Amino acid sequence: MSTLTTATPGVAAPDAARRAPRGARRTEPIYYLFLLPSLVLFTLAIPVPALVGIFFSFTNSVGIGDWNFIGLTNYAVAFRDPAIWQSYLFTFGFALVTVLVVNVAAFLLAVGLTSRIRLKVGLRAVYVIPMVVSGIIIAYVFSYLFSNSLPAAGEALGIPFLSTSLLANPDLAWVAIVLVTAWQAVPGTLLIYIAGLLAIPGDVYEAAEIDGATPAQRLTRITLPLVAGYVVINVILGFKNFLNAYDIIVGLTNGGPGTATRSIAMTIITGFNGGDYAYQMANATIFFVVTVLIAFLQLSVTRGRNAL
Amino acid sequence: MTGGALGITLTAGLLVGCGPGDGGPEDVRFTFSKREAIPYMTQVVDDYNASQDAVRVELDTSGVDVVSASFVRGNPPDLMLANYNHEVARFVDRCTLTDLGDTRAASRIRPDLQPLMDQYGRCEGRTSALPYSVMAASVIYNKEIFAEHHLEVPQTWSELIEVADTLEQAGETPFYGTFKDDWTVAQGWFDYAVGGQVDTLDFFDRLAAEGADVGPRSAVSFEKDLAGPLEQMTQLAGYVNDDAASRGYGDGNLAFAQGGAAMYLQGPWAFSEIAKTAPDLELGTFPLPMTEDPADLKVRVNVDLAAIVPEGSHHQDAARDFLEYLYRPEVIEGYNESQLGYTPTADAPPPSDPRLAGMTDYYDDGKVYQGASVLVPKTIPVMPYTQGIAFGEDVDDVMRTLDEDWARLARRQ
């Protein structure tokens, strides 16, 4: 078993081998030229607007006309704004639950779709379809299902719980959002898990089988440890995406009922539509800092495990 | 007209002086993005362009976001007809619009509409915007259902409850609720309930004066002044269809057209949608009675379109010439007749559509108010809050949240 674990990070090993001789040679200048267009575009599209936005978060600008510096006022007010607190609480709770749901579902599906079953290829295609449909369309379709089809079914079957729309329940609307987000996010995660599972050499399983390992033992003792790196990737990517939750919520509940499902991104957007530009820029800056901190946390937790 | 004509010749002369010298017509960019009325306005622009050759108007139908961006870039349109709300009022507040007080159009506007315009924002000493179309909204009711149950239009709160009870006992749904779309709760239920007994002009003035002090100890607050009307609103919300929480605006129009309820808290914009399903359905309107005194009855209005000429425009006189054309009685009255709006000029007849007849007297007498939901700055999520009330959240809690939001915003700005 121990020999296996050292040999398994098959992805990382050849990478390190390739890296070794690179320092010896001088880098061709042409490579920098290749980088230039995307670097320029990236700078113009992301860091420059971000810096402008951070600048304005220290002003009282409404987007047009004159403005003044007001120091940290926006930040001071934002930290005491219950609407902002609520949106952070909702978004982080939502992201945590969704990451869990998506990864469990995708992993189980991936195990199923890589085992010896009929119609494997066709099924894989079916499960990947949600990935190519735009979020807002998915949200509108599900909104119809939750508001009309499910209640109709609930009424016909005499299940009172189903006969009122999930979306109209302030305490449970988030469950609907988790379900729909997961439905869309599972395929991407699933693909990564399938790739991870296919990378596990078959002889490992053969050896385990000869040693008398049960299927459950094979799953927990071999499969899971060997795809651990992929779990980390999926969790990090997923969490990052779910923190930015926007389109599906807009289509499903538009933040409602009341303000029960307003995400951070939705709160920030109101600053542009509502003439509260500088204040929500401060909120966006706080959000940025928070996500950077999370990124560092995730990196430090996963570093040194050959995960990334 | 002579003044306008003189202006045109002067500008035309200037153009000839410094332009490439072709002496062609002066271009005016006119933005107008009310989708339903674009065909009408295209015709107006074509007629105007054909009627003279000093000015050529170009219709720009890109929406309000594009317009906002053009202000920031210093390249605003020359003339706009825009929905008058907080967004446009930002341009008023910052004095980026020219004074239209000296136009002939301005002299014909009903003076009692000015407070409604000022309520959003003001630039001292200027008439920054002229109303062009006023929409009145109140309860829409199904005349056939009312006649079937021998019901009269209610004029007091207790009559309204009586009507609702009668309908309910007869197995009809009194009101159709579309609470899934929060704006329908805000513009109908919330605004009618509040406007029916609170003077929104005075209320928001006093609220603005309190500013950051709005709260449990201030003389005026959402909690003190609006909780009463909203308790009544919750009472009315008990008379809606069972599935109101999961119905949206589109569902409501369909159901109401099919006779699914007797009353519907929507504006005149819903008429054309209802007519798609039931073109011959007999509908009427009446202001929602919230007190026991019929003298308190008022209808909700909003300035659906207002004309503005930005300071950044380089074609001031040409833009004003077209502005005067837009305010010619046949143009402005024709527009409002076609869009079910009220013409804000003093001598104009009301729209002839019988569905609006129930509101005309109130509009003529100036018994109007602007909706509370649109007078709250957009950065406060008032629409979701009102939806929360419709879904059963505690009125006092929601009003306290509004008070806190209001004070927090005042502290910051």
Side-chain angles (χ1 to χ4, degrees):
Chain A
M1 215 39 200
S2 62
T3 47
L4 281 176
T5 26
T6 47
T8 43
V11 206
D15 203 49
R18 245 186 288 130
R19 208 178 283 145
R22 198 183 282 164
R25 251 188 306 156
R26 212 176 58 85
T27 320
E28 291 279 347
I30 189 83
Y31 292 144
Y32 290 111
L33 204 65
F34 289 159
L35 282 178
L36 198 63
S38 51
L39 190 70
V40 169
L41 283 178
F42 172 76
T43 313
L44 286 179
I46 299 181
V48 169
L51 287 174
V52 172
I54 292 172
F55 173 82
F56 275 108
S57 71
F58 299 106
T59 71
N60 62 355
S61 168
V62 297
I64 56 155
D66 304 328
W67 45 267
N68 298 307
F69 278 106
I70 54 168
L72 291 171
T73 311
N74 283 331
Y75 291 88
V77 179
F79 275 116
R80 286 197 306 260
D81 189 337
I84 289 182
W85 276 106
Q86 198 202 334
S87 71
Y88 275 77
L89 205 68
F90 165 74
T91 311
F92 277 89
F94 158 79
L96 280 174
V97 174
T98 314
V99 157
L100 203 72
V101 171
V102 166
N103 279 281
V104 170
F107 180 76
L108 293 180
L109 275 175
V111 171
L113 291 173
T114 49
S115 52
R116 270 162 279 162
I117 55 166
R118 284 167 193 277
L119 297 172
K120 194 158 62 180
V121 179
L123 278 176
R124 278 187 203 169
V126 168
Y127 280 110
V128 169
I129 287 175
M131 201 167 125
V132 295
V133 185
S134 115
I136 195 82
I137 293 173
I138 293 174
Y140 280 133
V141 170
F142 272 95
S143 167
Y144 187 87
L145 290 178
F146 283 126
S147 305
N148 299 294
S149 312
L150 262 187
E155 213 135 292
L157 299 171
I159 311 170
F161 171 73
L162 279 182
S163 60
T164 53
S165 169
L166 204 55
L167 299 177
N169 185 333
D171 299 322
L172 292 176
W174 67 273
V175 176
I177 296 172
V178 168
L179 286 177
V180 178
T181 310
W183 189 81
Q184 190 199 24
V186 160
T189 314
L190 173 67
L191 286 183
I192 294 179
Y193 278 134
I194 288 180
L197 290 173
L198 292 178
I200 302 174
D203 46 5
V204 184
Y205 287 107
E206 274 169 37
E209 216 164 333
I210 291 166
D211 286 350
T214 63
Q217 280 174 322
R218 268 177 277 159
L219 183 70
T220 52
R221 297 287 177 82
I222 300 179
T223 314
L224 267 180
L226 292 187
V227 295
Y230 298 89
V231 175
V232 172
I233 292 176
N234 276 330
V235 167
I236 291 181
L237 287 182
F239 197 68
K240 175 213 150 271
N241 281 337
F242 303 142
L243 282 185
N244 290 332
Y246 184 77
D247 50 354
I248 286 183
I249 304 183
V250 169
L252 276 182
T253 62
N254 200 14
T259 53
T261 58
R262 267 161 88 93
S263 71
I264 303 172
M266 291 176 72
T267 315
I268 292 173
I269 291 280
T270 60
F272 302 101
N273 311 334
D276 212 2
Y277 177 69
Y279 181 60
Q280 290 302 342
M281 268 303 152
N283 186 10
T285 309
I286 296 172
F287 188 37
F288 171 70
V289 172
V290 169
T291 43
V292 166
L293 288 179
I294 292 171
F296 275 119
L297 192 74
Q298 283 176 329
L299 279 180
S300 66
V301 167
T302 54
R303 187 175 296 148
R305 294 194 182 178
N306 292 319
L308 278 176
Chain B
M1 202 59 218
T2 40
L6 185 67
I8 299 298
T9 35
L10 274 179
T11 349
L14 275 176
L15 266 183
V16 173
C18 58
D22 54 5
E26 186 173 357
D27 281 330
V28 164
R29 188 154 59 90
F30 165 51
T31 58
F32 178 82
S33 57
K34 188 180 161 79
R35 198 174 294 274
E36 311 88 283
I38 286 174
Y40 183 91
M41 218 28 103
T42 310
Q43 188 58 46
V44 170
V45 167
D46 289 346
D47 290 348
Y48 174 74
N49 284 340
S51 73
Q52 44 77 45
D53 41 288
V55 179
R56 211 181 68 83
V57 173
E58 220 175 294
L59 186 65
D60 175 358
T61 56
S62 46
V64 67
D65 291 335
V66 180
V67 171
S68 298
S70 71
F71 268 87
V72 178
R73 286 196 304 264
N75 177 32
D78 300 306
L79 175 70
M80 283 172 74
L81 275 184
N83 185 244
Y84 198 66
N85 53 24
H86 270 296
E87 194 144 15
V88 171
R90 275 190 290 164
F91 306 134
V92 177
D93 267 335
R94 311 242 153 185
C95 289
T96 56
L97 306 174
T98 60
D99 185 11
L100 298 173
D102 57 347
T103 55
R104 263 170 23 92
S107 64
R108 290 173 35 229
I109 304 289
R110 259 173 60 165
D112 60 340
L113 294 174
Q114 196 52 44
L116 302 183
M117 302 294 287
D118 292 345
Q119 203 168 8
Y120 280 110
R122 233 189 327 217
C123 174
E124 219 42 67
R126 283 191 203 177
T127 308
S128 298
L130 299 179
Y132 192 78
S133 175
V134 176
M135 282 276 175
S138 61
V139 183
I140 297 175
Y141 73 104
N142 184 324
K143 286 189 173 171
E144 292 163 20
I145 296 182
F146 265 56
E148 197 180 313
H149 300 284
H150 314 290
L151 293 169
E152 296 280 319
V153 165
Q155 295 224 309
T156 62
W157 170 254
S158 38
E159 283 173 23
L160 178 71
I161 295 297
E162 230 179 274
V163 165
D165 282 336
T166 313
L167 286 165
E168 203 168 51
Q169 277 151 24
E172 301 274 2
T173 305
F175 293 94
Y176 203 88
T178 54
F179 300 159
K180 185 175 177 224
D181 284 332
D182 56 10
W183 69 268
T184 69
V185 184
Q187 89 75 40
W189 295 82
F190 177 76
D191 282 357
Y192 296 176
V194 171
Q197 57 184 303
V198 175
D199 179 354
T200 54
L201 262 177
D202 176 60
F203 173 68
F204 279 94
D205 274 353
R206 291 193 295 146
L207 212 53
E210 289 277 357
D213 296 328
V214 167
R217 279 187 301 276
S218 62
V220 55
S221 72
F222 287 99
E223 193 188 355
K224 275 202 185 70
D225 297 57
L226 303 195
L230 293 181
E231 292 294 352
Q232 285 175 265
M233 168 188 139
T234 356
Q235 194 183 336
L236 283 189
Y239 289 101
V240 294
N241 42 314
D242 291 337
D243 55 0
S246 58
R247 300 291 93 182
Y249 176 58
D251 305 316
N253 292 335
L254 180 65
F256 196 72
Q258 292 168 340
M263 292 174 275
Y264 193 33
L265 305 193
Q266 269 296 347
W269 44 83
F271 284 138
S272 58
E273 299 297 313
I274 295 170
K276 283 177 188 167
T277 312
D280 301 322
L281 187 63
E282 268 204 72
L283 300 173
T285 41
F286 66 85
L288 186 72
M290 292 296 291
T291 68
E292 293 306 323
D293 185 359
D296 287 338
L297 292 173
K298 285 182 181 178
V299 293
R300 177 191 191 273
V301 294
N302 67 302
V303 179
D304 197 51
L305 289 180
I308 59 176
V309 175
E311 273 191 334
S313 158
H314 300 299
H315 307 286
Q316 296 288 340
D317 294 317
R320 279 176 168 65
D321 188 70
F322 181 56
L323 176 90
E324 300 288 13
Y325 181 83
L326 282 174
Y327 275 87
R328 283 191 188 181
E330 68 272 19
V331 177
I332 187 172
E333 286 162 21
Y335 172 84
N336 281 299
E337 176 70 31
S338 74
Q339 299 301 317
L340 304 182
Y342 286 85
T343 308
T345 50
D347 40 7
S352 61
D353 194 300
R355 293 172 295 187
L356 301 179
M359 298 190 285
T360 296
D361 286 346
Y362 300 99
Y363 174 79
D364 284 346
D365 294 346
K367 299 184 108 182
V368 298
Y369 61 87
Q370 290 195 108
S373 68
V374 286
L375 293 169
V376 176
K378 257 173 120 182
T379 159
I380 297 175
V382 64
M383 290 188 189
Y385 288 164
T386 60
Q387 185 191 39
I389 297 174
F391 279 7
E393 271 177 45
D394 183 63
V395 169
D396 289 323
D397 281 352
V398 176
M399 289 300 107
R400 265 193 294 277
T401 312
L402 257 173
D403 283 333
E404 286 161 17
D405 283 357
W406 182 278
R408 199 175 299 110
L409 186 65
R411 230 171 281 144
R412 191 169 87 227
Q413 282 185 341

